[in-house]
Amino acid sequence: MQTTYIETQTVSFQDFKNQILADYKLGRISREMSYMARREVLTGKAKFGIVGDGKELPQLAMAKVFRNGDFRSGYYRDQTFALAVGALSVESFFAQLYADTSVEREPASAGRQMNGHFATRSLNEDGTWKDLTQIKNISSDISPTAGQMPRLLGLAQASKVYKSVKFHGSDKFSNNGNEVAFGTIGDASSAEGHFWETLNAACALQVPMILSIWDDGYGISVPTHDQRAKEDMAEMLSGFQRKEGKTEGCEIIQVKAWDYPALLDAYARAEHFARTESVPVVIHVTDVTQPQGHSTSGSHERYKSEERLKWEADFDGLEKFKEWILNYSIEIEGKEEILATVEELENIEKEAKKIAKDGQKKAWENYRNSIEVLKNEVLPLVENLKSQNSEVEAELQKFGSLISYAKKDIFSLMRKVLLLTRTHQSSERQWLASKYQQLLAQEKDNYSSHLYSESEWKSTNVKEVKPIYSENSEMVDGRVVVRNNFDKIFEKYPETLVFGEDAGNIGDVNQGLEGLQEKYGKVRVADTGIREATILGQGIGMAMRGLRPIAEIQYLDYILYCLQGISDDLATLHYRTKGGQKAPVIIRTRGHRLEGIWHSGSPMAGIINLVKGVNVLVPRNLTKAAGFYNTMLQSDEPAIIVETLNGYRLKEKQPDNLGEFTVQVGIIEVTKEGKDVTLVTYGSTWRLVMEAAEELEKLGISAEVIDIQSLIPFDISYEIAESVKKTNRLVIIDEDVEGGTSAFILQQIVEKQKAFRYLDSAPLTIAANDHRPAYASDGDYFSKPSVDDMVEKIYAVFHEANPSQFPKI
């Protein structure tokens, strides 16, 4: 087991002195980076700047107790910490400020995130995991305030899980659960619900977590007294303080941001509690200053009084640190020893400025050189076309008059010239067109790659394994199929665990996990409180550390509580790190076709438009759902799997190859062949569509029924267009609101698959009313498409086409 900082601090005076001066130097380098970043924005070389000046000392102290294998989930101002743990260089800081798209120069996001958003790379280029126990890990930052908190819970919980869960390769993710998860947040963001939900859950679960609150007294311009119940955050949190002998609550430590020795002591004690006792710790860091204000978007002089600004200057952490260094002396063997003279510190400050300036200069040169290379490839090819159109020369002159140019200006020039010369199919024009396509492919990789996995484990690579049935296959309730499949999953994948409201003791509200907690234990099959945002966060954090969590959200309607985290964190993780991090969490939920405003289960349009980057799978029964679980556990992508809420008691034949059969992601299934019209649907509505199709047969209309199965990705083989090519008519039937998921499906089929070429009638969508269903079956009948609605509306399509054969009803 790794020792803690508090246990290893026997050093010589010279070593102590070297540590202090190294901290001062790094703090000064970070401060100079902050100053220069603001100047780079204000002079137009960068778009926006948000920096960490004023927070240097607490971050230096935090870095001292941050070990290999630990994780940080933090606030976008932790540049000093990132520098101190080797996750950031001066050059990579400025490369991010300039949005350099090179992974080598800007490894956190390859220019996809604004500055101050830090990350380490957990994955090799082929998508395999690095040995995370040998790295100081930073989970990729996000901008939404407090959005980093739910993930922090999962990162911390993984350590607790690894104390008892072992599997082949688990030693790459944890050293017997000895890791600590560090979180950081601004005090204003502690007003967000995610903060309180995470702290509550961490205290309930007793996970090794250290949460630092940087309290600078403001949330942009809003002072503390307008943000929370009490100005003293530690006092407000006092109810969470654990009592002696109790295994609940957390430790709370308050310390001033300018008090270097007290900060070292605070973080040493925090690490001891978290690492040795698995206790969450909150460190409330007060008296934090912001020398340059909130960001480059404005000036803090607008809302801070002269007295406050003077206080901030007097209590600037680096100035107080300098004062402490100069006043420090100790007698050793009769000789007075000091840490540094004024001249020595001034030399350190000069050196820090030079290091920051050199790093900034190098980053700018690298960034501009990449654009110069692009320009030098393109301009000669454009010059060759001047003779083919007089306006080409004008476009070149416009480009040449630009004071500063970016990639977009070069691409715009190419596109305008190709448009101007469209009637000249010369070899010179072809050279430019080919270069444009080549460069466009590079920029597509720079800006649009890695939304989904590009490894061999991407979800669409998992092949279908059909269910096997025999004369001994039983007809059972649907919930038995999914339960017995989970049993096989837990047996096959020791890294898999499931958790959610009522998931453990009673085996979920629909008995899909019945008896599994008793068989596999409370760590792997666990109950949680009613806290959807942090249930998701548990899943994200644990998936980032090599586990395969299944996070259960009891009903699809309540996924809205964690939709922000799915959208802003989970769905963007692989993209915003350009393949540097992944979190293959499976979100298990249930919905569709039930009655009542909050259990009707169809907010699909909101989901699919907000979670691009996550697979959205909508099986029509529990056997299909089980197959999707088996598929996604072979993939390295996240997914939402929506089980049919009204299917748990319906009978299904149980496959003999539980845990093995799979359903292909992005592949539709034709469940009824037909020749007159293609009916497209998914989930529980499929049963009603099948019933409507049988009714239509009696009316002389042969309907082909297609179960989408997977909304994201959608019909990757374009099979629906082939069906429309045969039937020449298209109807989309959905229980979402008008213009909801049905609009997405229509766009995919008619526009993307170009099925409009085969239509003899206008495409029809049959959707629910815009309100949610009232309670009881009558509410469902009158609110969502019924079999009667489907039959009548589809029949009307044929009446319009052939009134004599299909007279009006």
Side-chain angles (χ1 to χ4, degrees), residues 526-759:
D527 286 311
T528 69
I530 300 176
R531 46 175 181 80
E532 286 81 5
T534 45
I535 291 172
L536 171 71
Q538 287 175 252
I540 296 174
M542 286 194 280
M544 292 186 76
R545 293 191 59 190
L547 294 164
R548 292 309 307 264
I550 300 171
E552 179 167 317
I553 304 300
Q554 195 163 102
Y555 296 108
L556 182 62
D557 306 78
Y558 301 129
I559 210 169
L560 301 183
Y561 278 100
C562 60
L563 189 55
Q564 181 272 326
I566 301 173
S567 180
D568 288 325
D569 197 356
L570 180 61
T572 67
L573 177 64
H574 197 251
Y575 170 79
R576 72 178 188 265
T577 59
K578 201 183 181 185
Q581 294 181 0
K582 62 183 175 183
V585 59
I586 296 172
I587 300 166
R588 180 193 184 209
T589 188
R590 52 191 65 83
H592 301 318
R593 300 306 305 206
L594 202 66
E595 294 82 25
I597 294 174
W598 289 291
H599 291 82
S600 50
S602 299
M604 295 306 301
I607 293 170
I608 62 170
N609 287 293
L610 290 170
V611 305
K612 301 296 173 65
V614 177
N615 292 263
V616 180
L617 311 176
V618 284
R620 66 178 181 266
N621 58 35
L622 276 301
T623 300
K624 290 286 185 179
F628 275 135
Y629 288 114
N630 298 337
T631 297
M632 293 312 302
L633 285 168
Q634 296 179 45
S635 170
D636 62 354
E637 295 179 8
I640 300 170
I641 298 177
V642 185
E643 297 174 11
T644 53
L645 188 50
N646 58 6
Y648 292 108
R649 303 296 173 186
L650 297 177
K651 298 296 182 183
E652 299 183 31
K653 185 176 282 191
Q654 179 169 270
D656 297 343
N657 56 338
L658 290 169
E660 302 297 330
F661 68 91
T662 59
V663 179
Q664 279 188 284
V665 168
I667 302 297
I668 61 100
E669 183 177 351
V670 177
T671 60
K672 179 185 175 299
E673 300 252 347
K675 59 183 178 59
D676 295 330
V677 62
T678 298
L679 308 183
V680 179
T681 192
Y682 63 90
S684 292
T685 303
W686 170 83
R687 290 192 185 90
L688 302 184
V689 173
M690 287 293 286
E691 187 179 336
E694 295 303 323
E695 292 295 316
L696 290 166
E697 290 284 351
K698 299 173 186 176
L699 298 171
I701 298 170
S702 174
E704 182 147 293
V705 179
I706 291 178
D707 176 15
I708 293 167
Q709 302 194 104
S710 169
L711 280 167
I712 300 176
F714 183 88
D715 187 17
I716 59 176
S717 301
Y718 288 18
E719 292 180 70
I720 299 176
E722 288 302 308
S723 174
V724 176
K725 187 176 182 179
K726 175 177 65 173
T727 67
N728 306 122
R729 290 181 176 85
L730 172 66
V731 179
I732 296 158
I733 306 158
D734 182 25
E735 59 176 296
D736 199 357
V737 297
E738 291 182 344
T741 314
S742 56
F744 164 74
I745 296 168
L746 183 66
Q747 180 268 333
Q748 290 285 301
I749 299 170
V750 173
E751 181 182 325
K752 191 171 183 180
Q753 297 188 10
K754 302 190 183 306
F756 67 88
R757 295 176 294 185
Y758 314 124
L759 290 173

Side-chain angles (χ1 to χ4, degrees), residues 12-31:
S12 68
F13 177 76
Q14 188 59 45
D15 287 341
F16 171 68
K17 175 179 177 177
N18 291 342
Q19 285 183 20
I20 298 299
L21 296 184
D23 280 353
Y24 184 69
K25 181 178 179 179
L26 192 59
R28 283 295 180 188
I29 291 170
S30 182
R31 178 63 64 85

